[in-house]
Amino acid sequence: EMTLQELEATRQNPTKPFVESVARGRANTAQMKDRPFERDQMRIVVQNLEPDMLQKLIVAPLFTFKSLHDLGV
């Protein structure tokens, strides 16, 4: 079971592809007993991305994991 604190502490591995990091974030949130709303999950996952990737996402409206995944494909 994943806690909110563990999710917030999970960082993107710079050697892994962007899409893999998104999938990992999604899998981690699925393990949570008391999941936040998807928009809040997205905020946490995006915050944990590498700074260069995060900078590219600043202008993108991301509210679902699908929108984040589609952006990285």
Side-chain angles (χ1 to χ4, degrees), residues 13-32:
N13 184 336
T15 63
K16 301 291 183 184
F18 168 77
V19 174
E20 188 174 314
S21 296
V22 172
R24 185 171 135 223
R26 180 74 168 154
N28 286 344
T29 59
Q31 295 176 31
M32 296 177 73

Side-chain angles (χ1 to χ4, degrees), residues 2-11 32 36 44 48:
M2 175 74 62
T3 66
L4 184 59
Q5 291 79 15
E6 290 171 321
L7 181 64
E8 290 173 337
T10 303
R11 301 285 180 237
M32 296 177 73
I44 294 167
N48 295 336

Side-chain angles (χ1 to χ4, degrees), residues 53-62 71:
M53 181 56 69
L54 184 57
Q55 211 168 29
K56 294 174 185 175
L57 297 176
I58 294 292
V59 297
L62 302 170
L71 186 68

